[in-house]
Amino acid sequence: MNYKSIQRLAGPVGGLLTAVCLMTTSVRAQESPKEEDFFKIMKVTAPEGTLLEVGGLTVLPNGDLGISTRRGDIFIVENPTSRKPYFRKFASGLHEVLGLTYKDGAFYCAQRGELTKLVDSNGDGKADVLETVYSWPLSGHYHEYSFGPKVASDGSFFVSGNVAFGDEQWWRGESRVPWRGWVMRISPTGQMEPWAAGVRSPCGLGMIDGELFYSDNQGEWMGSGGIWHVKKGGFMGHPAGLRWTNLPNSPLKLTTEQIYAKVDPRDNRDDAGRAIKPENVVDEKFTLLYELKKDFPQLQTPAVWLPHGVQGVSNSEILQIPAENFGPFGGQILVGDQGQSKITRVFLEKVGGDYQGASFDFRSNFQSGVLRMAWAKDGSLFVGETNRGWGSAGEANEGLQRLVWNGRTPFEMRAVRAMPDGFEVEFTSPVDRKSAEDLASYSVESFLYKYHPVYGSPTVNKEKCAVKGVKVSEDGLKARVIVDNMRRYYIHNLTLEGVRAKDGSYSLVHPTAYYTLNNIPTGQKLAMSEVSTRSSATEKPAATSTAPAKKSTPVKKGAKTAVVGTAAKTGEAVASVSKAPTFDEVKPLLNRHTCAACHNAAKRQIGPAFADVAKRGYTNEKIVELIYNPKPQNWPGYSTEMPPMPQVPKADALKIAAWINSLAADKGADAKATKNPDQP
Amino acid sequence: MIPSITRLVMGAGWVCSVGLALAQAPAGNAPTSLPLNDLSSFKAAGSNWRIAGDASADLVQNGALTATKGTGVLVNLPDKKSATDLQSTLQHGDLDLELDYMMAKGSNSGVYLQGRYEIQLTDSWGIKGARTGDNGSIYERWDESRPEGQKGYEGYAARQNASRAPGLWQHLKISFQAPRFDASGKKIENARMLRVELNGVPIHENVELTGPTRGAIASNETAVGPLVLQGDHGPVAFRNIHYVLYNKPRPELINLTYAVYKGRFQKEPDYKNTPPEAQGPLTQLSTGVTSIPNEFTIRYTGTLRVKEPSEYVFNLGPSGGGALMRINNAVVIKPGEGSLRGNATLPAGDLPFEMVYAKFVDWAKAGLGLAVAGPGVREYSMMAANEAGGEETDPILMDAPTNTILRSFMDLPNVKNDQGRTMRVVHAVSVGSPDGVHYTYDMDNGALVQVWRGQFLDTTPMWHDRGDGSSRPMGMVQRMGRPVLALRKLATPQTAWATDTAGTGYRPKGYVLDESDRPTFRYLAYGSQFSDQIRVVDNGQGIRREVTVTNPAGDLYARLVEGKTIEPLKNGLYSIDGKAYYVRIDEAGGATPIVRDANGGKELLVPVRNGKLSYSILF
C-alpha cells in the first residue's frame, strides 16, 4: 500500500497510520508510482466570483473553451490552457444548461426545456440570436434535467431527458410528459425523432466511432451505473418512458405492462392505504436484466457496467480519447463521475456484434463532482465539475480543472480482451515475467446486479473464477489467462495484485479491471502445454499478498466506547485492552464493500465522515444495523441517501464498525460524552 | 437520484415569530368592516369627504378624480372651501388594518394609525426607488427646533416602490402595535409597524416608531387613538376598510420553573420518583436550560395568568422530539411531534401550566416554539428571544441592473391547470429592466404571463440545493391569467378563444436580442412568422407589446386581456378587473376593438390589420 494515498484518505487520524505504513511487507510496492505521477490536475483560473457549476464543455476549432453552467450562463474562454485564461460571457439567462457543443459557427445547448442554437450575428462577442431548435414537453418536476446535445455523424443532435419522481411515491421515476426517460434525435431544422427509451438519469451522452452511447446512474431499476450502446428503438431498462410507445412516432412498441408482467413493480400499499417503498429483499428469486432479452429483443444491457461505488456513483460524461492523446490510452473512453469526483477509463471492443469491454480506475481527486470533459487543442483534458444538490468527494462545490499528461507511460492494464477461454490483458509496458507467469498474481470473480424496482442493487451471484493458466507474450506486453466459470453477461472482476513491471518492479497503478462479458468469443482456446500453471500460492503455504503483519501498534487506543463485538471472541478479550482494527486492516473492506465510494475517515464527502459517525456513539451492532438499513433522516444536509448494503458480511461489517468507533476514542474531548444508555 | 427526504422530516419545528401577524387570522379574529354607507364611522367630516359608489381618476390629468353615486366608497375631493383630515370614531391600539385606496394623479394622502403614525399615500407612479415621502413609506418625524434641513427625521422608505398608477385601486395591509405604558403612564415600549404590505409586496417589517410622525393629531402618545385619513393634500378614495383590534390582554407565563430529566422516555417520567438532572426557575421558556445533546426531557411548570376569559389557540412546535402541554390540569396539546396545535377555553385567573418537551432525535438540535393567539390577542411567541429557529437558507436574488433575462419555471398562483393544481409555466422567460419594470413570457403559448414593478427575481427556489427549477417575481405583480396564444384565427368574432395551441401550427423559434439585450420573441403559427416584442414604456409606467406577422392569414384576431370587468375609458384606454390595471390600444390599423363575454368575465379582442398590432399594459 502506498504511504501517500493512505494519508490522503485518513487525514488527521494520523498517528497510527505512519506506523501502519511501515508494516507493509512489499517495500517495492510502496514505491510504485501513482496516477498523479502521470496525470496532473491543474487549475483553470477564472475571475473571482465566476460561478462555474459546469453543465457543458466544448472546445471550439480555434482552441477557445466554451462552458455552460447550471446557472444559465455560457462563457467563452480564450487561451484556456495558458496561465491567464480570458473569460467572456457569451450568453446568460438560460435554464440550467447541461450540455454544450459548437457546430458550424454556432453553439448548441440543451436547456431544461429545449435545444437552443446560439449565434453571435453582429460580432460583439455575445449571443444575440437564441433560436429554439426544438422545444420539448416538461411537467415542471425538479428532476427533469435534460442533457446534450451530442452531434451524430449526419449532423443531427442527440439529447436525453431524466424521469420525474412521484408525489406520494417519491421513489418512483415517472415519465409525466412525452419523451421524458428517452433519448431524442433532433435534426438541425428542428424535426424531433424519439430515438430510444428506458433511460433514468441519462447524464452522459457520447459519440464513439459514430455510435451513440449513454451513461446512467444507479437508481430504481438500475442496479448500478454503466454505459450503454443506444440503438434506435432500444430499451435501456427503466420502464417509465415506455408509457409513450403507443404514440405514432415511437420506434418501439414495448409497453410498461409487458415489463411489469415479468418483474413485479411492487406497487404495494399498507393497511392504511399508504404506498410502501420497495426495499431489497435479501432471500428472494430475482431477475437479472439480461434474462429479459429473450422476450424483449430491444432491451439493451450495458455495454460496460461501471460497478456502483467502485467506478462511480453518478456516471456522467462519456468522451472518447483521440488516438494521439494520453499515450497508450488513445482511442479508449473516459467516463466522468459526479459523486466520487473521478474519471474511469473504459476499453471497448466488439464481440459477436455487440459492444463490451473493461473499466479501470483512471484519475480521482478532482475538487468536485465531474460532470463534463472536453479536449484542449494541446491534448490536455478540461474537466467541468459541480455537485450542488448531491454532494461529492472533493473540497469544492464546483470547478473547472484540467488534466495534463506528462508524457510518461504508467504501468497499467492497457486493455482487457475477452478470449474463448478467459481474458487477455494487454499492458502499457512489459511485465516482469516471473510475477506475470505466477497464477497467484491474478484473481477473478464475477457478479451481477438485480433488475428490480428497488433503488440500486447489491452485487449478487458472486462466484470465483479459477485462473487455470497464463501465457505471457514474448515481448511481455500481454498475458492471456485461462479462466474457469466464465458467465455470459456477468461482470468479471480481474485483480492483478501480483503482476509487476519489468522495469522497476512496480505494481500496476490500477490493478483492478471490471470486464462486462456480453458475449464470449469463439475461437482458438489455449492448450495447457502453452501456459504457465505455476502458482506461488501453492508453493509457499504461508504466502500472503499485501496483508500487513499484525504487530502491536505503537499508538495507544482509547477504546473506551464501543469496541464490543469485534474479532476477539473469547472471554479473555475483556481483560486485555480490546483493540479495534487498524485502518490498514479495514481499508480493503472499505474498498471492497464500496464504503470508500462515499465516506472518508475525516472529511465529509457524499456521506458523513466516519469520524462524525463515531461521534454518534452507536454500538458496533448498531452501526452494522445501519449498514444494512441506513436511516438517511439521521443526516439531514446530505442529499444522497445511503442505499441498504445487505451484501456486506457481518464479520466485515463488525470490523468496520469497530474501526469507525475507534475514531471517536482518538478524539479525547468527544470521548467524554455521556454514556450511551443503549450500551451495557 | 432520488429526492431528498430531509425536507419531509424537517417539518417539525417553527410555526411563529413575532411578525407572523398577518399570516392567518387567529380564532375569533375575523376582520370587522368599517361601514361606508354614510359618514357615521367618522367624526365631523368636512365637506371634502363624501360617500360614493365608485371612483375613477384620470391617468394623465393632475388631481382629476371623480366619484359616482352609491355607497361603499369614501372619496376625498378637497377644494378651497374644505380640505380637512378625517378621523374615525373607532379608537384603536394594536390592530391589523386592510384597505383599498385610489390616488388621483399627483395626489397625496396618508393613513395615520392612532392619528399619530403615518403611512404615506401618494402617487409615486413611475418613480424607481421609494424614498421616505413615497407611497407606502413611513412618514418622517418633525422637530422644529432642529437646524434647517434636518428638521425631518426617522422617515422610513418603503423597501420597494410597489405603487400602481393613478386611478387604480391599491391594497394596503398594516399590522400595527401601539406603544406600551406602565401603570404610571410612562412609555415602556415604542410603537411598531410590525408589517406593512403594499399591493402584495412587504415594504416594512418590525419598524420601531419613536414618536408621532409629522402632521399627527397630537404630540403625545397614547394607548388608543383614532384612525385618521389625510384629506388636505389631494383627491383620494378608500374602500373595503377592514380591521382586527387586538385589545385584549395576553395570557402571560409567570413563576416558570424547569426540570431536566436524562434519558429517552417513551412516556412521561415518573416525576415524583425520578430525580431531575437539573432544575430551577426560568424567566422565559427556553430549551437552553440544558446542554445535553440528546435523550432528555424538560418539564416546564408555572402559572398562566389569564386576564381575559376566552378560547385561545396554542401552536407548539418541538424540534428534534415531541411535546405536550397542559393548562389548568387539562391536556391542551396531546403528546406528539411536528407542528402541534390545541384550543383551550380558559377562565380568567392564574392557571397551572405544564409543558413537557422530549428530545430524542439524535441528529437534530433541541428547539421549541410556543405561540398563543385568541380573540383580540395577536399571536405571539412565548419563547425566549434567543430560542433557536429552523433551517437557515441564504436567499439567492437576481437583480436587473441591465436588461436581464432568466428562463425558469414560473408558477401562477391564481391559475389552476387541467389537473386542478397550480399552473406552472415550464418554458417561461422573465425579462428584467433597469427601469424596474419586468415581465414574464410563456414560450409554449406566445403569451404574456405577468408584469411587475420593483425588484426582479427570487431565484432561491431554483438555485438552492437541487432546486425545483422555478423563480419568483419580487416586486408588485400583475398577472394576466391563464396564458393563451395572443393572436389566433377565429372563424367568427364570437368563436371562443381556445386555451391551447392545437391546430395552429404554433412553434416557438426563440428570441433575438437588440444592442441593449432586450429580446424579441419569434414564433410560427398558421404558416406565418410572428415577431413579438415587449418593451418597457417610458418612465417605467408599464410595457408596450408589438406583434407583427409576415404574410398574415386573414381573420386573425388578437386577444389583449381577459378580466372580470373591462371598462372602456377614453383614447383607446381600458381599465381591467375593476381598475386593477390599464390596457391601451396603441396601434390597431383602425380596427374596432371588441369587448365580449367569456368564461364568466370579459375579453378584449382586436382584429389584426396589416399584420401589426401594438398595445400597452399600464399598471
Side-chain angles (χ1 to χ4, degrees):
Chain A
M1 279 288 111
N2 185 287
Y3 177 76
K4 262 208 197 146
S5 53
I6 288 177
Q7 251 197 345
R8 207 176 4 256
L9 282 171
V13 186
L16 70 100
L17 301 170
T18 48
V20 165
C21 297
L22 293 176
M23 296 190 312
T24 52
T25 49
S26 170
V27 173
R28 282 180 185 149
Q30 186 181 346
E31 293 172 352
S32 287
K34 312 165 297 293
E35 46 185 44
E36 57 263 36
D37 294 319
F38 303 95
F39 293 94
K40 183 171 170 187
I41 298 176
M42 298 181 67
K43 189 179 160 76
V44 179
T45 58
E48 185 193 46
T50 311
L51 193 58
L52 292 175
E53 298 177 326
V54 178
L57 278 183
T58 191
V59 173
L60 280 61
N62 67 354
D64 287 353
L65 175 66
I67 308 172
S68 72
T69 74
R70 292 173 68 186
R71 293 291 186 103
D73 296 319
I74 296 183
F75 294 96
I76 297 180
V77 187
E78 297 171 12
N79 302 323
T81 57
S82 74
R83 280 237 219 96
K84 294 173 76 171
Y86 182 80
F87 274 71
R88 188 150 35 84
K89 192 177 272 195
F90 180 74
S92 61
L94 304 166
H95 194 177
E96 190 144 32
V97 192
L98 293 174
L100 184 67
T101 197
Y102 187 84
K103 179 168 114 77
D104 300 334
F107 281 101
Y108 291 83
C109 71
Q111 302 189 48
R112 273 299 183 100
E114 71 171 52
L115 175 64
T116 313
K117 177 181 179 184
L118 300 104
V119 178
D120 170 15
S121 66
N122 62 359
D124 68 348
K126 296 190 304 185
D128 46 86
V129 177
L130 292 90
E131 184 186 315
T132 304
V133 178
Y134 182 78
S135 174
W136 49 74
L138 290 174
S139 76
H141 187 274
Y142 92 90
H143 194 262
E144 283 176 344
Y145 298 104
S146 305
F147 310 97
K150 291 291 177 188
V151 184
S153 35
D154 66 354
S156 60
F157 301 97
F158 284 113
V159 298
S160 60
N162 269 19
V163 299
F165 287 102
D167 293 319
E168 190 197 359
Q169 295 174 311
W170 52 265
W171 52 84
R172 251 161 74 110
E174 301 176 344
S175 180
R176 293 182 170 180
V177 290
W179 320 124
R180 301 310 304 176
W182 281 72
V183 174
M184 291 180 268
R185 186 169 92 164
I186 302 169
S187 75
T189 52
Q191 265 56 53
M192 191 284 288
E193 179 193 353
W195 182 261
V199 304
R200 180 183 172 277
S201 200
C203 177
L205 295 173
M207 302 304 299
I208 312 288
D209 298 331
E211 291 293 311
L212 177 66
F213 284 73
Y214 100 104
S215 67
D216 215 320
N217 295 181
Q218 183 208 50
E220 74 288 354
W221 300 100
M222 298 276 169
S224 168
I227 63 171
W228 276 251
H229 178 212
V230 188
K231 291 194 242 183
K232 177 170 174 172
F235 170 63
M236 308 300 133
H238 193 290
L242 294 178
R243 186 177 166 187
W244 309 108
T245 53
N246 59 339
L247 292 181
N249 51 350
S250 170
L252 73 158
K253 295 300 162 204
L254 178 63
T255 64
T256 323
E257 291 73 32
Q258 285 178 273
I259 297 295
Y260 288 172
K262 297 283 178 193
V263 183
D264 178 7
R266 293 174 56 183
D267 188 0
N268 300 324
R269 291 182 178 267
D270 63 16
D271 297 330
R274 279 188 295 253
I276 303 174
K277 174 172 181 260
E279 302 290 359
N280 184 50
V281 176
V282 180
D283 288 311
E284 62 166 354
K285 190 165 172 320
F286 50 80
T287 308
L288 302 166
L289 184 63
Y290 77 85
E291 290 174 334
L292 297 186
K293 277 173 85 79
K294 60 182 183 320
D295 298 301
F296 309 124
Q298 326 85 322
L299 184 125
Q300 311 252 182
T301 57
V304 181
W305 286 97
L306 297 170
H308 182 79
V310 183
Q311 249 115 45
V313 301
S314 284
N315 302 295
S316 59
E317 181 84 347
I318 299 171
L319 187 66
Q320 188 163 29
I321 307 173
E324 64 276 10
N325 287 5
F326 282 11
F329 307 126
Q332 296 190 8
I333 291 152
L334 298 176
V335 184
D337 183 65
Q338 194 195 7
Q340 295 183 276
S341 306
K342 66 193 254 184
I343 298 175
T344 299
R345 172 173 61 93
V346 170
F347 166 78
L348 207 59
E349 59 174 346
K350 248 187 165 173
V351 177
D354 293 327
Y355 286 101
Q356 58 190 57
S359 60
F360 314 87
D361 276 343
F362 181 66
R363 189 64 166 95
S364 51
N365 284 119
F366 289 94
Q367 72 183 38
S368 188
V370 174
L371 204 76
R372 295 291 175 238
M373 302 178 284
W375 293 104
K377 274 185 120 174
D378 69 356
S380 62
L381 182 69
F382 290 111
V383 179
E385 305 158 22
T386 173
N387 71 1
R388 170 166 57 87
W390 276 275
S392 70
E395 66 273 14
N397 294 325
E398 39 96 50
L400 178 64
Q401 295 182 294
R402 191 161 72 93
L403 189 66
V404 183
W405 181 46
N406 65 3
R408 290 171 52 213
T409 301
F411 178 55
E412 294 253 40
M413 287 186 264
R414 183 185 192 185
V416 175
R417 293 179 178 82
M419 292 287 134
D421 54 358
F423 298 96
E424 180 186 74
V425 180
E426 182 192 346
F427 299 93
T428 54
S429 50
V431 294
D432 156 68
R433 199 145 209 104
K434 180 162 180 250
S435 63
E437 284 177 343
D438 180 355
L439 292 189
S441 296
Y442 305 84
S443 70
V444 183
E445 61 180 12
S446 65
F447 60 91
L448 249 189
Y449 297 98
K450 298 185 190 180
Y451 177 62
H452 61 176
V454 176
Y455 191 97
S457 164
T459 55
V460 294
N461 292 356
K462 194 176 270 208
E463 287 178 13
K464 283 215 157 322
C465 309
V467 179
K468 287 292 169 65
V470 57
K471 178 177 180 184
V472 177
S473 64
E474 277 297 313
D475 56 9
L477 285 175
K478 288 188 175 166
R480 180 170 162 176
V481 283
I482 300 176
V483 175
D484 256 2
N485 196 21
M486 302 251 283
R487 292 183 290 175
R488 188 178 177 203
Y489 295 115
Y490 274 71
I491 304 162
H492 292 72
N493 176 7
L494 288 78
T495 309
L496 275 56
E497 204 67 65
V499 173
R500 296 286 175 268
K502 181 162 160 221
D503 292 329
S505 291
Y506 299 132
S507 54
L508 289 160
V509 175
H510 301 109
T512 311
Y514 290 87
Y515 191 97
T516 302
L517 191 61
N518 289 327
N519 281 302
I520 301 174
T522 53
Q524 187 73 39
K525 297 193 183 185
L526 287 174
M528 288 309 287
S529 56
E530 307 175 65
V531 304
S532 156
T533 53
R534 171 176 61 86
S535 169
S536 59
T538 52
E539 285 163 9
K540 297 182 201 162
T544 53
S545 51
T546 53
K550 276 243 198 309
K551 303 194 177 96
S552 55
T553 52
V555 176
K556 257 193 278 292
K557 313 210 15 74
K560 264 189 291 190
T561 49
V563 195
V564 178
T566 50
K569 294 170 205 51
T570 53
E572 76 203 12
V574 179
S576 60
V577 174
S578 36
K579 211 164 60 118
T582 61
F583 175 72
D584 201 52
E585 288 164 347
V586 295
K587 180 170 185 231
L589 304 180
L590 297 175
N591 287 335
R592 183 182 323 141
H593 301 303
T594 71
C595 318
C598 299
H599 297 281
N600 173 281
K603 286 196 298 182
R604 170 188 175 140
Q605 307 278 266
I606 300 172
F610 287 127
D612 289 335
V613 177
K615 284 187 193 145
R616 295 287 171 96
Y618 300 125
T619 60
N620 290 359
E621 281 74 18
K622 179 75 179 169
I623 291 184
V624 172
E625 213 184 288
L626 290 169
I627 291 173
Y628 294 150
N629 285 297
K631 298 258 178 293
Q633 61 268 31
N634 289 353
W635 298 95
Y638 290 87
S639 331
T640 306
E641 299 199 357
M642 173 171 168
M645 316 271 287
Q647 70 274 24
V648 181
K650 183 122 192 233
D652 287 358
L654 280 170
K655 208 165 174 180
I656 292 169
W659 171 73
I660 289 175
N661 277 326
S662 72
L663 299 178
D666 283 341
K667 300 185 190 262
D670 284 64
K672 200 161 71 64
T674 43
K675 185 157 171 280
N676 189 322
D678 276 358
Q679 226 171 318
Chain B
M1 285 289 167
I2 49 176
S4 166
I5 65 163
T6 58
R7 267 183 284 268
L8 299 176
V9 174
M10 284 293 271
W14 307 120
V15 290
C16 64
S17 63
V18 171
L20 175 64
L22 300 182
Q24 62 232 349
N29 280 318
T32 307
S33 180
L34 195 75
L36 295 175
N37 300 313
D38 51 34
L39 291 167
S40 61
S41 300
F42 307 99
K43 290 186 207 166
S47 62
N48 50 310
W49 293 96
R50 72 202 58 186
I51 296 293
D54 198 1
S56 50
D58 195 279
L59 191 53
V60 176
Q61 199 187 343
N62 261 339
L65 187 143
T66 52
T68 53
K69 270 178 110 97
T71 60
V73 178
L74 175 67
V75 178
N76 174 46
L77 295 168
D79 56 24
K80 289 198 206 41
K81 280 188 282 174
S82 181
T84 55
D85 294 344
L86 192 62
Q87 271 195 32
S88 67
T89 54
L90 170 73
Q91 298 279 312
H92 75 87
D94 292 359
L95 102 161
D96 288 345
L97 178 68
E98 263 191 83
L99 52 85
D100 295 337
Y101 67 98
M102 177 193 293
M103 305 303 299
K105 182 161 160 60
S107 188
N108 183 318
S109 177
V111 175
Y112 291 76
L113 285 310
Q114 292 187 314
R116 287 165 170 82
Y117 313 99
E118 185 192 357
I119 299 286
Q120 169 83 307
L121 305 180
T122 188
D123 171 22
S124 294
W125 193 42
I127 292 174
K128 248 180 49 189
R131 303 152 301 187
T132 60
D134 278 311
N135 202 17
S137 295
I138 296 172
Y139 205 73
E140 61 190 4
R141 301 194 61 194
W142 191 263
D143 183 351
E144 197 55 50
S145 67
R146 290 187 181 202
E148 204 57 46
Q150 293 170 43
K151 296 180 197 256
Y153 64 104
E154 281 178 25
Y156 296 97
R159 281 180 181 169
Q160 299 188 49
N161 183 0
S163 303
R164 290 195 173 234
L168 298 178
W169 287 109
Q170 309 199 43
H171 191 71
L172 188 63
K173 266 168 97 160
I174 302 173
S175 250
F176 171 78
Q177 182 172 294
R180 303 274 191 257
F181 302 90
D182 67 13
S184 69
K186 178 160 160 275
K187 183 169 74 163
I188 51 174
E189 210 181 308
N190 282 324
R192 284 172 189 276
M193 296 290 182
L194 295 175
R195 189 178 172 89
V196 181
E197 279 181 24
L198 176 56
N199 294 322
V201 181
I203 54 171
H204 300 289
E205 260 184 291
N206 205 24
V207 179
E208 194 171 344
L209 308 167
T210 59
T213 61
R214 191 179 186 194
I217 58 172
S219 56
N220 69 337
E221 295 184 271
T222 53
V224 295
L227 272 174
V228 172
L229 303 175
Q230 185 179 353
D232 66 347
H233 213 141
V236 61
F238 296 92
R239 70 174 188 188
N240 294 337
I241 304 176
H242 303 294
Y243 61 91
V244 177
L245 295 179
Y246 298 106
N247 50 9
K248 299 281 191 251
R250 291 172 171 178
E252 303 281 3
L253 274 177
I254 55 174
N255 301 332
L256 273 175
T257 65
Y258 71 92
V260 180
Y261 301 89
K262 271 177 70 174
R264 191 200 173 92
F265 296 100
Q266 298 293 61
K267 44 193 193 109
E268 288 177 85
D270 176 2
Y271 298 119
K272 285 203 185 57
N273 296 321
T274 314
E277 184 71 15
Q279 61 185 355
L282 202 54
T283 36
Q284 269 191 296
L285 288 175
S286 161
T287 56
V289 296
T290 179
S291 54
I292 304 172
N294 197 40
E295 298 198 337
F296 61 85
T297 295
I298 307 176
R299 179 175 183 236
Y300 304 91
T301 52
T303 300
L304 187 67
R305 176 160 287 170
V306 178
K307 298 183 188 126
E308 182 74 21
S310 186
E311 189 190 16
Y312 291 94
V313 176
F314 294 88
N315 279 303
L316 183 56
S319 184
L324 65 89
M325 193 176 76
R326 298 188 187 95
I327 299 176
N328 214 11
N329 300 313
V331 173
V332 176
I333 294 181
K334 293 199 295 279
E337 298 173 49
S339 297
L340 308 169
R341 199 180 151 96
N343 291 16
T345 305
L346 302 176
D350 284 356
L351 311 175
F353 169 87
E354 184 188 359
M355 184 167 67
V356 179
Y357 166 66
K359 165 90 168 45
F360 45 75
V361 180
D362 61 355
W363 52 263
K365 284 213 181 87
L368 194 56
L370 175 63
V372 61
V377 176
R378 179 181 275 138
E379 181 167 49
Y380 77 105
S381 167
M382 302 189 97
M383 304 302 298
N386 62 358
E387 186 69 15
E391 201 183 323
E392 292 147 343
T393 300
D394 290 340
I396 305 172
L397 307 177
M398 181 176 255
D399 285 337
T402 58
N403 293 308
T404 302
I405 294 175
L406 183 67
R407 295 188 63 160
S408 72
F409 299 148
M410 183 62 70
D411 287 331
L412 306 182
N414 301 327
V415 180
K416 293 275 180 257
N417 62 14
D418 297 329
Q419 289 77 44
R421 303 169 75 157
T422 299
M423 176 167 277
R424 172 168 273 197
V425 177
V426 292
H427 291 91
V429 185
S430 295
V431 183
S433 78
D435 297 310
V437 173
H438 324 291
Y439 66 91
T440 301
Y441 186 86
D442 175 5
M443 283 181 60
D444 280 332
N445 287 291
L448 179 65
V449 170
Q450 63 197 358
V451 293
W452 73 100
R453 176 181 291 118
Q455 290 168 13
F456 187 35
L457 286 171
D458 180 359
T459 53
T460 317
M462 63 191 289
W463 288 337
H464 171 69
D465 202 57
R466 293 179 196 180
D468 75 344
S470 75
S471 64
R472 295 193 206 122
M474 275 181 34
M476 186 208 57
V477 191
Q478 178 59 52
R479 296 184 169 95
M480 300 288 126
R482 183 175 177 144
V484 296
L485 190 54
L487 271 64
R488 297 189 77 96
K489 278 192 196 174
L490 292 183
T492 75
Q494 291 77 38
T495 310
W497 202 272
T499 52
D500 62 30
T501 58
T504 64
Y506 174 83
R507 205 193 151 97
K509 297 300 282 175
Y511 50 90
V512 179
L513 301 177
D514 68 8
E515 332 70 50
S516 309
D517 291 335
R518 295 177 299 187
T520 299
F521 295 95
R522 303 196 293 195
Y523 60 86
L524 300 175
Y526 306 113
S528 305
Q529 291 177 349
F530 288 70
S531 176
D532 195 346
Q533 179 175 287
I534 298 168
R535 296 287 180 263
V536 177
V537 167
D538 288 345
N539 300 319
Q541 292 178 349
I543 55 102
R544 173 200 249 106
R545 182 180 191 185
E546 183 174 298
V547 185
T548 49
V549 192
T550 56
N551 305 316
D555 304 334
L556 210 55
Y557 289 79
R559 191 190 85 149
L560 306 192
V561 285
E562 66 167 356
K564 286 192 288 291
T565 61
I566 297 180
E567 200 191 317
L569 305 174
K570 55 183 182 195
N571 298 332
L573 192 69
Y574 296 78
S575 119
I576 315 294
D577 262 355
K579 302 195 191 68
Y581 63 100
Y582 298 107
V583 171
R584 184 182 63 208
I585 300 179
D586 295 320
E587 205 186 302
T592 310
I594 306 162
V595 177
R596 66 179 197 178
D597 292 336
N599 304 322
K602 300 280 186 194
E603 282 177 330
L604 175 60
L605 265 53
V606 173
V608 178
R609 294 258 174 88
N610 308 322
K612 197 166 156 139
L613 170 79
S614 76
Y615 69 97
S616 296
I617 305 228
L618 308 174
F619 65 106

